[in-house]
Amino acid sequence: MASSSPWEEMEENYFICPICLDNLKDPKLLPCLHRYCRPCLAPIVGRHHGEFDCPMCKTACIIPENGVDGFKTDFHVQNMLEFIALQKSVNSEESQMCKGCKKKETVIAYCFKCKGFICDQWYQFHLDNDIFQDHKDHVLLLADIIDKKLSLRKLASLKIAPRCHVHTEKPAEVCCETCNNLPICMVCGHHGEHKGHQISDVKETAMKEGARIQKVVGRVNQYKANVYHLPGRLEEARERLGRSLSGEKQKLQSQYQKKLEQIRKMLKTTDELLAETKAKISEKEMEELTELQKKRSLELEIASKKINEQFDELENEVKGRCKSYREERERIFGEKRAKLEEKLTLLDQAARDNRRLIDTHGERTAKEIAVALSESEGRMRRFDNFTSTVSSILAANDDWTDSQCLPDVNSASGPLEGEVKKKLFELDTISAIDTRELPPIVDDVTIAENPESVVEIGEIKHKDGFVMSTSADACGVIVISGKASNAHAFITAVDANGELQWQQSIESTDNTVPNPISYNSALSKQLLVDACNLNRVSICHFHDGSVASTFDFRDGATHSTHGSDITNNWKETKRISCVTCDPANKDVYLGSADRKHTISKEMLVLNDKLKYRHTIVLPDEICWARDITFHRSHLLVCDFDGKAGYIVSVDKLDTEIVHRFTKPTHGDGDWGSFRVCTDSKDFIYILWAAIVDNKWKRIVTQYSPDSYRLLMTKPVDDDAAALTTTFIDGKEKLLVITRRTGKMYIYDLVTG
């Protein structure tokens, strides 16, 4: 550094106040190492109480008792600023007055002890006269400024050592470590107000602080590449997101056009078949009538009036038969056409939903990238400020500078070190969009009359327990959960033959929850969410049950300030009562039960990292959600207590009922819905229960995916407690699992 000028060793804006954009005046140093003019910082501090955010990096800074004056003056930067002012004076064309002879002579040096310019005569006087013995080391030749032959080390050696903060006429001799390395004289250290404090030699303090900062710099520099590379990676991710969104939209449009053409061709074929059938019926009718007319003419010649009447009856019979056949064909083709038009409506709705999902995902991810980019750029600025500050202080190689400035830098290094280690954003999955496939062009789906098989599962039979929930992946792994005993909940995975895949037990340590119950829901093709009413939520892998992440309300774990308020409230008053996932937005919805009143309309929404998003409240018409699942962009809600089932819009924080399902009228029971699921074609299945003839009965209803029409009602095992759909050997099945008897009924879902 010996050949450069002090300010060239540092960033150009290092000495600029970020508020007034001028050179710093009386620079005040914040804990984050950013500096501001005292006059600029004072009104900001005055507007706040307790703490305020640094205008540059938004770090929270605690306000000292004496306000802005309590922040340390950065005397290292102040010395640099003094030199900059000196350099500007040298470069200006104005004549400078000699401090000694008081004449505007040609000055050749500056004495930091005299605090003024001196001419050649007074420069020699400084060198030769013993009176100025202590000035010699503090004289700077102006030629060194002009030729830039000045380093930070040389500049520091020219400055006068700090004065004792009590005896300002005395130079400081030692540091008081107890008072943050405050410069003091020996008198203050041994007899004054600092008596009994930890006193240290300035060189010793400087070496200790220097060694400490070198270790910090070494640790922080390990993450330098991450700090500087992240903005570029985020920009790449933004571009990748744009390409992904464009590709998804093109893919969606291609799917839509292909399926639209299928339906149009089927509609055209249906219309052509109807026209052809009607033409054939008319042709056949005309042939038969013509033949009858011929016979009639022949017979009339020889027959009586009675024969004529008989032929009238035959003629009317032919006309009536053809009319009935024509009407029957029109009805059949009309129903077929109506179903195709329903499928066209379904296709349009699914395409609109997917476009909205793509747009929502794009907007949300773009905002997250923008926030992460802003944070990464702020992190980079803080890193640059830290390294520039450390470099300039160490380059001065001055004990007083080290002892006074490095403690502040060391204090700021802790938060910075933690920040540069922190991972800001999941870049690998930034462009992933889990849009739903457009509905296939198939006929209606019906539940087979009888179960294909009944599987006995011993692992879900518990003496004091019961089944509460089930879900399945696309490969036939079926996960069942509920209560095992008064001290344990369970979650068990089996295959279609009932063979155990894995099993977990969740122990209750809370005496206020006498019935620990586990609920589960599929999050993606590989992952499921296990939510226990002990207020523990985990994301597990379908294939082996290994835990990917966990959020436990009981240990006070929180992910945001607002989330802390919510989870603390749940920790004390609420219990999880059901769970579902929105795979498109990768959100987890947790229904709740109030500990005292057993019911609650509040639902907690987490993301797929189990971080709190927001809370929704179900509409007033709903008593209590016993089970929930997603159908396209809406929430299906089973309200057993209200004896109803609902479709609820959750596009906004304010929920709204979109549809109320037609209630089954099977038998004389007052049916209440308590479990719901959907199949791959978006047909909806609801499990209902009611007391009929003094016994609990169960039925399953099926509803169409578009108009939500009640399609069929099917009685099932009276102990049925949970249902889901899955694929077994390439065919989709409906699974109905009993509460206590350990049975799994497998029904074929027939298309046609």
Side-chain angles (χ1 to χ4, degrees):
M1 298 184 185
S3 63
S4 61
S5 64
W7 55 91
E8 287 179 338
E9 295 173 3
M10 308 167 80
E11 289 290 334
E12 184 179 348
N13 61 355
Y14 189 77
F15 305 102
I16 300 297
C17 172
I19 296 175
C20 66
L21 303 181
D22 200 355
N23 278 341
L24 288 158
K25 296 175 283 292
D26 190 9
K28 290 294 180 180
L29 185 68
L30 299 186
C32 59
L33 300 185
H34 284 116
R35 304 157 188 83
Y36 301 91
C37 299
R38 185 197 177 284
C40 296
L41 189 61
I44 296 175
V45 173
R47 289 196 298 268
H48 295 81
H49 300 283
E51 66 176 42
F52 70 100
D53 291 343
C54 168
M56 281 284 285
C57 65
K58 307 305 179 187
T59 299
C61 302
I62 297 174
I63 300 173
E65 289 184 6
N66 54 340
V68 71
D69 291 324
F71 289 111
K72 200 168 187 178
T73 299
D74 193 338
F75 84 88
H76 175 61
V77 169
Q78 198 166 31
N79 289 343
M80 297 289 293
L81 288 166
E82 185 178 342
F83 183 84
I84 291 172
L86 174 61
Q87 192 268 349
K88 288 182 178 178
S89 298
V90 171
N91 291 338
S92 70
E93 297 180 357
E94 292 185 17
S95 300
Q96 302 293 336
M97 181 179 289
C98 174
K99 186 75 173 179
C101 65
K102 305 299 182 183
K103 296 178 182 179
K104 286 196 173 184
E105 302 288 346
T106 303
V107 294
I108 66 164
Y110 184 88
C111 178
F112 285 88
K113 196 85 170 176
C114 298
K115 291 190 178 294
F117 292 96
I118 54 177
C119 64
D120 182 58
Q121 181 181 354
W122 271 88
Y123 174 67
Q124 292 300 324
F125 196 52
H126 270 63
L127 297 180
D128 300 335
N129 199 310
D130 290 341
I131 297 174
F132 293 99
Q133 184 67 32
D134 60 341
H135 287 227
K136 290 180 182 180
D137 293 335
H138 304 289
V139 176
L140 172 64
L141 286 171
L142 301 186
D144 288 343
I145 299 177
I146 296 169
D147 296 338
K148 300 183 178 179
K149 294 179 180 179
L150 184 66
S151 67
L152 284 170
R153 181 180 299 185
K154 173 64 176 174
L155 177 62
S157 69
L158 293 168
K159 297 298 296 181
I160 303 167
R163 316 301 287 180
C164 173
H165 84 107
V166 177
H167 307 98
T168 55
E169 74 282 358
K170 293 183 178 182
E173 298 166 290
V174 290
C175 296
C176 178
E177 291 189 21
T178 307
C179 300
N180 196 23
N181 291 345
L182 190 68
I184 60 174
C185 65
M186 295 298 291
V187 174
C188 287
H190 294 292
H191 306 290
E193 62 182 75
H194 296 277
K195 182 180 179 181
H197 289 189
Q198 184 68 35
I199 307 299
S200 63
D201 178 72
V202 63
K203 186 174 288 294
E204 177 189 337
T205 302
M207 289 178 63
K208 183 167 61 176
E209 294 292 347
R212 185 177 165 204
I213 198 66
Q214 291 289 3
K215 291 180 180 179
V216 170
V217 169
R219 291 197 302 269
V220 170
N221 277 336
Q222 293 177 12
Y223 302 94
K224 183 176 181 178
N226 291 345
V227 171
Y228 286 99
H229 291 165
L230 184 57
R233 293 181 64 203
L234 284 167
E235 289 294 350
E236 291 175 3
R238 196 204 299 267
E239 294 175 4
R240 192 164 68 248
L241 174 66
R243 292 193 298 270
S244 177
L245 292 174
S246 177
E248 286 293 332
K249 288 182 178 179
Q250 290 178 4
K251 175 184 171 184
L252 174 64
Q253 186 62 25
S254 175
Q255 286 182 356
Y256 175 75
Q257 288 296 335
K258 184 177 179 180
K259 293 181 183 293
L260 183 63
E261 286 302 316
Q262 282 183 269
I263 293 177
R264 284 175 174 169
K265 286 179 181 178
M266 293 171 75
L267 283 169
K268 183 179 178 182
T269 301
T270 300
D271 291 341
E272 289 174 350
L273 284 173
L274 177 59
E276 183 180 341
T277 301
K278 290 169 71 175
K280 287 181 178 179
I281 292 171
S282 298
E283 183 180 348
K284 183 66 174 177
E285 179 184 23
M286 187 57 95
E287 286 177 0
E288 290 190 28
L289 289 174
T290 301
E291 185 63 29
L292 281 173
Q293 193 63 41
K294 288 179 181 178
K295 289 183 179 181
R296 180 175 186 168
S297 298
L298 290 173
E299 292 293 332
L300 281 174
E301 294 177 2
I302 56 176
S304 63
K305 181 179 179 182
K306 182 178 179 180
I307 296 299
N308 194 37
E309 290 175 353
Q310 289 176 348
F311 275 98
D312 284 340
E313 290 178 3
L314 288 172
E315 188 176 291
N316 290 334
E317 181 187 342
V318 170
K319 289 180 179 180
R321 180 160 36 87
C322 290
K323 180 182 178 183
S324 297
Y325 185 68
R326 187 185 295 111
E327 289 174 349
E328 176 65 15
R329 293 296 94 190
E330 287 176 348
R331 184 187 65 78
I332 292 172
F333 280 103
E335 289 179 356
K336 190 170 183 179
R337 199 177 200 289
K339 288 182 180 179
L340 287 172
E341 288 173 348
E342 269 193 17
K343 294 182 190 301
L344 183 58
T345 301
L346 173 62
L347 177 67
D348 287 337
Q349 180 62 46
R352 283 195 299 271
D353 289 346
N354 269 358
R355 290 189 190 101
R356 186 173 69 252
L357 287 173
I358 292 170
D359 291 341
T360 301
H361 175 86
E363 290 171 6
R364 177 187 296 173
T365 309
K367 287 179 182 177
E368 290 176 353
I369 292 175
V371 170
L373 189 58
S374 174
E375 290 184 16
S376 69
E377 289 171 348
R379 178 193 290 182
M380 194 163 61
R381 286 194 298 270
R382 290 188 285 277
F383 187 88
D384 288 341
N385 182 49
F386 172 80
T387 53
S388 297
T389 300
V390 172
S391 298
S392 69
I393 294 172
L394 295 180
N397 196 31
D398 178 71
D399 292 341
W400 279 113
T401 302
D402 289 352
S403 65
Q404 295 302 294
C405 299
L406 288 181
D408 297 314
V409 178
N410 274 317
S411 296
S413 67
L416 177 67
E417 190 174 353
E419 190 177 3
V420 296
K421 291 179 182 178
K422 186 175 67 174
K423 192 173 184 181
L424 277 181
F425 205 74
E426 293 288 345
L427 295 175
D428 297 337
T429 59
I430 199 168
S431 61
I433 307 173
D434 192 2
T435 54
R436 303 178 180 88
E437 287 292 328
L438 292 178
I441 309 303
V442 297
D443 292 324
D444 290 336
V445 176
T446 56
I447 307 171
E449 182 66 25
N450 297 308
E452 180 181 283
S453 61
V454 181
V455 180
E456 297 280 347
I457 308 173
E459 287 79 8
I460 64 173
K461 292 173 67 175
H462 300 278
K463 181 180 178 182
D464 298 318
F466 48 80
V467 168
M468 184 60 75
S469 178
T470 185
S471 62
D473 70 356
C475 300
V477 176
I478 302 144
V479 179
I480 306 164
S481 58
K483 173 188 173 183
S485 68
N486 291 336
H488 294 84
F490 77 89
I491 178 168
T492 300
V494 298
D495 63 14
N497 297 317
E499 295 293 328
L500 182 66
Q501 304 298 299
W502 52 267
Q503 190 168 30
Q504 294 177 7
S505 178
I506 304 156
E507 184 177 4
S508 171
T509 57
D510 188 346
N511 295 330
T512 63
V513 185
N515 292 309
I517 301 171
S518 176
Y519 307 86
N520 70 84
S521 176
L523 177 63
S524 67
K525 294 178 181 178
Q526 295 82 27
L527 299 174
L528 69 104
V529 174
D530 170 37
C532 184
N533 67 343
L534 299 172
N535 283 355
R536 191 206 73 169
V537 186
S538 299
I539 294 179
C540 309
H541 292 90
F542 261 111
H543 68 281
D544 62 2
S546 59
V547 177
S549 57
T550 299
F551 180 31
D552 197 330
F553 292 82
R554 297 171 295 175
D555 63 8
T558 56
H559 300 275
S560 67
T561 302
H562 184 50
S564 174
D565 297 337
I566 295 297
T567 53
N568 285 339
N569 181 48
W570 269 57
K571 180 179 176 183
E572 298 299 329
T573 64
K574 299 286 194 305
R575 286 296 172 200
I576 295 171
S577 64
C578 56
V579 62
T580 192
C581 302
D582 178 7
N585 292 314
K586 298 184 178 179
D587 287 338
V588 178
Y589 283 71
L590 301 174
S592 65
D594 191 288
R595 279 190 173 189
K596 295 180 180 179
H597 304 102
T598 71
I599 64 172
S600 173
K601 300 177 188 295
E602 200 172 87
M603 285 192 178
L604 200 66
V605 184
L606 312 177
N607 68 7
D608 60 342
K609 302 296 184 297
L610 300 183
K611 292 184 178 180
Y612 172 78
R613 277 201 187 280
H614 57 266
T615 300
I616 64 170
V617 178
L618 293 175
D620 291 339
E621 294 91 326
I622 299 175
C623 294
W624 179 24
R626 289 296 186 97
D627 194 26
I628 49 177
T629 196
F630 261 86
H631 180 262
R632 298 172 184 165
S633 60
H634 293 144
L635 192 66
L636 306 183
V637 179
C638 287
D639 182 10
F640 180 81
D641 299 76
K643 307 299 180 184
Y646 297 95
I647 299 177
V648 177
S649 168
V650 291
D651 289 341
K652 302 176 182 177
L653 296 182
D654 294 330
T655 57
E656 182 181 357
I657 291 177
V658 175
H659 179 78
R660 179 169 177 157
F661 286 108
T662 302
K663 187 174 178 179
T665 57
H666 185 78
D668 298 326
D670 186 11
W671 299 96
S673 65
F674 67 102
R675 294 291 175 266
V676 61
C677 71
T678 61
D679 64 19
S680 63
K681 300 174 182 63
D682 281 342
F683 285 84
I684 301 164
Y685 304 87
I686 297 180
L687 183 59
W688 303 73
I691 295 177
V692 180
D693 296 330
N694 298 318
K695 291 179 63 177
W696 279 104
K697 296 291 183 180
R698 306 286 197 275
I699 58 172
V700 172
T701 53
Q702 182 198 45
Y703 298 87
S704 64
D706 37 29
S707 59
Y708 314 122
R709 290 182 294 111
L710 176 60
L711 300 177
M712 69 178 300
T713 300
K714 183 175 189 60
V716 292
D717 191 305
D718 292 343
D719 191 43
L723 77 170
T724 190
T725 60
T726 189
F727 282 87
I728 300 174
D729 297 330
K731 294 182 178 180
E732 193 163 20
K733 312 291 182 180
L734 175 68
L735 311 180
V736 179
I737 301 170
T738 59
R739 181 178 174 85
R740 296 182 183 276
T741 58
K743 293 180 180 180
M744 178 170 67
Y745 292 83
I746 303 176
Y747 291 89
D748 194 15
L749 293 178
V750 183
T751 59

